[in-house]
Amino acid sequence: TVSADALPTVQVDGVVWDQVVVGGTVYAVGSFSSARPAGAAAGVGESARGNVLAYDIATGELLEWAPVTNGAVNSVDVSADGSVIYLGGDFTSLNGETTWRVGAVDAVSGRRVPVGASANGSVKAVEVSADGSTLYVGGAFTQVNSSARQRVAAVDLATQRLTNFSPAVQDYVVRALSVSPGGDSVVVGGSFTTVDGTWSPGLVLLDADGTARQPGAGRVIAAGGSRSAVMALAGDDRGFYGVTFSRTGSFEGMFRASWETGDLDVMADCHGDSYDVYPAGDVVYVASHAHDCSNIGGFPDAAPNQYWHAPAFTNYATGETLPTTDSNYYDYSGQPAATNLHFYPSFQIGSYTGTNQATWTVEGNDEYVVYGGEFLSVNGTAQQGLVRFARRDIAPNQEGPVDKGGAYPLTASSEQAGRVDLSFSTNWDRDDQTLTYAVYRDADAARSLEDFLALEPVWNQQVASSFWQVSTVEVADEVDPGSTHSYVVVVWDRWGAWTRSEWVRLTAADPEGGAAADVDEGAPAGEQAGEPAGDGLEEEPAGAGADGEDAEAPANRDQIRGGWRENGKRGGF
């Protein structure tokens, strides 16, 4: 996956519903009235924006491009040559000119350009065919250009006239569209239940002329009705992808199906409503509030509820879906299952829409993945509405082990003469599952990871762990009876991002004095207990692993015994 480092990005004062990436520019749309620089508090450095903006994907900085609508923009797409940006939403004015819910603007100047479509109801999706000839529109409308069109329509962009594409989506709303690379198939998603008189809950695959055919995936996944929908669709040469929310339907998660047959190729049966999907080669990123991926071997449900708003999955089946762990959900056991990948940035839920959500949209290119929504912070740093994540080779890679200092305790005891027993839990990292652990004795002068790596550890080992799979590590150190020592655990990922425990100082038991004395779970001599040693808690990559290679830990001492054991699920997760 990309790195979980949340890169500074322009912020908005509302919600971002959709984005499209064109070269090095991201066009973002939604419901907002202003934008401000990354790191700025609300009201500081604000620039007026009317539900539409553009930013540089490499820097995150706001661009001058600034069309204005008088209502929310729900969807955005781009012409095949990248010169025109198409908008769909609830607006009736674009740059001060009457524009009924479907609009177009120049990608450079932002000026309004004609598009030849006006809808009498909300537009939720706009999609341009790969050859650039046709604009598909979906939503809650019943007329386009005063001609009957039930929730989906198509415009010939050369003539700016409606085509004969007019399937009858007979109820609820169309929320998503995707066109096959060859242009011969169109997949439509939403909350509808019937298309051309045929039961098609939430998903229908259409020929280019609008003839409906029930996709095989639709026989497995039902997502229509008043409280269920296919929320987003995407497509590439491998097939079409969808994500759903479900209260009255049967499926929550991500799926991929074949353009030719519509049959299901892979699913991520990951409970929690999902809102957008972005396939990026062998990885699929989702905007969601996932809370239980245990059906595909991922993180389990937890109490109190813990949501992950940017889950990532393999774009291929790695096994079969397991029997459901919750009887309130449909059992998809035996279906081809993706793997839940180790990518866990954390988002603070926003309040703009009143729906307790964070991310609503995800897009990207070959270097970045960009999320949008109504979130207020990412990984604990204030960042409202938009954020970028970079490919590992261009990312700062500073998101290291999460538990730090006093939140990562080391305990020590000595009941046998000359033996010190140490115990600690495994840590976890937002984007690296395998971490290297090392226990050091009397390393009081070490301040950086490079300092520690120059020393010989008491014990070291690589351990794979996640936030829901925490193990207890136990290490025994043999020292002179009655001698006093300080200990610390250092943890780092393969990029050199690191942390350490607090220091523990104790006197080893001796044959005459019995158990250890002077156990001090604080700092070694010369430091205040509970304070980090110098800059030791900084997340700067340093020493081995800083160049992206696996960090090399020093060899174990022969006389040291160490091990780790499973300790069940971490409390609070």
Side-chain angles (χ1 to χ4, degrees):
T1 69
V2 290
S3 166
D5 295 87
L7 302 179
T9 310
V10 62
Q11 304 178 84
V12 298
D13 65 346
V15 60
V16 174
W17 290 123
D18 197 14
Q19 301 178 90
V20 65
V21 181
V22 184
T25 300
V26 184
Y27 297 90
V29 301
S31 178
F32 48 84
S33 60
S34 68
R36 64 185 188 275
V44 177
E46 300 279 2
S47 298
R49 288 295 185 273
N51 307 305
V52 183
L53 62 76
Y55 64 93
D56 187 302
I57 198 169
T59 66
E61 294 179 354
L62 181 68
L63 301 178
E64 293 184 0
W65 188 84
V68 176
T69 68
N70 69 340
V73 181
N74 301 319
S75 182
V76 60
D77 204 6
V78 62
S79 62
D81 64 2
S83 66
V84 178
I85 303 299
Y86 295 96
L87 309 172
D90 301 310
F91 53 88
T92 57
S93 173
L94 172 58
N95 290 350
E97 299 183 53
T98 299
T99 307
W100 295 98
R101 303 176 184 88
V102 183
V105 289
D106 185 274
V108 176
S109 68
R111 66 177 178 82
R112 181 183 182 274
V113 297
V115 67
S118 297
N120 72 339
S122 179
V123 172
K124 303 295 186 184
V126 292
E127 177 84 3
V128 179
S129 61
D131 64 3
S133 65
T134 307
L135 174 67
Y136 292 89
V137 182
F141 51 82
T142 56
Q143 289 185 345
V144 175
N145 296 350
S146 300
S147 296
R149 290 293 187 273
Q150 289 185 266
R151 299 171 180 82
V152 66
V155 178
D156 184 314
L157 290 174
T159 65
Q160 295 195 356
R161 294 180 179 274
L162 283 177
T163 73
N164 292 327
F165 181 86
S166 58
V169 180
Q170 292 167 294
D171 55 3
Y172 296 105
V173 179
V174 168
R175 290 190 171 274
L177 297 162
S178 187
V179 185
S180 64
D184 54 349
S185 297
V186 180
V187 63
V188 179
S191 55
F192 54 85
T193 62
T194 306
V195 179
D196 288 339
T198 300
W199 180 250
S200 304
L203 187 68
V204 65
L205 190 59
L206 306 169
D207 292 332
D209 64 1
T211 302
R213 47 193 169 101
Q214 178 68 32
R219 292 189 289 271
V220 179
I221 294 168
S226 62
R227 302 180 70 194
S228 182
V230 171
M231 293 294 290
L233 293 164
D236 61 17
D237 290 338
R238 299 191 189 191
F240 64 87
Y241 306 75
V243 290
T244 67
F245 96 91
S246 180
R247 293 297 181 96
T248 56
S250 67
F251 180 73
E252 289 183 350
M254 181 276 295
F255 66 88
R256 190 191 81 212
S258 165
W259 282 115
E260 288 73 27
T261 65
D263 290 340
L264 190 72
D265 291 329
V266 63
M267 68 158 51
D269 183 20
C270 194
H271 299 162
D273 298 341
S274 296
Y275 307 111
D276 201 8
V277 58
Y278 170 61
D282 286 338
V283 179
V284 180
Y285 296 91
V286 173
S288 177
H289 69 221
H291 57 86
D292 184 0
C293 288
S294 59
N295 293 339
I296 58 171
F299 57 86
D301 216 344
N305 289 339
Q306 184 180 40
Y307 297 110
W308 297 97
H309 298 95
F313 307 97
T314 57
N315 195 1
Y316 48 86
T318 55
E320 293 185 349
T321 302
L322 302 172
T324 183
T325 57
D326 187 337
S327 60
N328 293 314
Y329 290 87
Y330 194 84
D331 191 329
Y332 286 101
S333 57
Q335 293 292 341
T339 289
N340 173 209
L341 296 174
H342 195 94
F343 178 67
Y344 298 112
S346 63
F347 292 79
Q348 181 185 353
I349 290 171
S351 60
Y352 186 83
T353 67
T355 58
N356 293 317
Q357 303 301 326
T359 60
W360 288 102
T361 173
V362 56
E363 300 291 342
N365 62 11
D366 60 355
E367 292 186 321
Y368 296 90
V369 172
V370 291
Y371 277 85
E374 59 182 302
F375 49 86
L376 302 178
S377 69
V378 186
N379 297 342
T381 298
Q383 180 65 48
Q384 187 174 0
L386 289 164
V387 70
R388 301 170 299 132
F389 300 99
R391 201 174 62 200
R392 297 306 294 253
D393 61 330
I394 59 174
N397 296 306
Q398 294 179 359
E399 275 294 334
V402 171
D403 297 329
K404 308 176 191 301
Y408 189 52
L410 167 66
T411 61
S413 63
S414 182
E415 301 296 331
Q416 300 179 27
R419 171 174 167 144
V420 175
D421 292 301
L422 304 160
S423 179
F424 56 93
S425 296
T426 53
N427 214 307
W428 73 281
D429 188 298
R430 297 188 188 281
D431 51 18
D432 286 290
Q433 188 168 13
T434 299
L435 301 175
T436 301
Y437 298 78
V439 174
Y440 292 91
R441 180 199 326 121
D442 299 334
D444 303 8
R447 294 294 182 270
S448 67
L449 179 60
E450 193 170 31
D451 290 343
F452 281 109
L453 292 176
L455 303 174
E456 184 178 15
V458 167
W459 169 93
N460 71 283
Q461 185 170 317
Q462 287 191 333
V463 180
S465 60
S466 304
F467 67 88
W468 77 96
Q469 293 174 321
V470 176
S471 305
T472 296
V473 181
E474 295 179 339
V475 177
D477 186 22
E478 296 176 1
V479 296
D480 292 334
S483 59
T484 299
H485 303 280
S486 60
Y487 292 91
V488 67
V489 180
V490 179
V491 190
W492 65 93
D493 65 22
R494 66 192 182 104
W495 307 93
W498 71 291
T499 191
R500 64 164 175 81
S501 69
E502 296 288 6
W503 298 87
V504 173
R505 183 173 180 270
L506 84 166
T507 300
D510 61 53
E512 297 180 359
D518 298 328
V519 176
D520 177 13
E521 295 187 3
E527 296 182 13
Q528 293 183 5
E531 291 190 358
D535 60 355
L537 293 184
E538 292 184 3
E539 289 290 303
E540 295 294 332
D547 60 355
E549 299 297 325
D550 288 339
E552 294 183 3
N556 291 335
R557 292 177 62 179
D558 292 339
Q559 73 270 32
I560 303 305
R561 299 185 300 277
W564 61 285
R565 67 183 183 206
E566 293 296 330
N567 197 35
K569 188 168 66 176
R570 176 198 291 260
F573 283 84

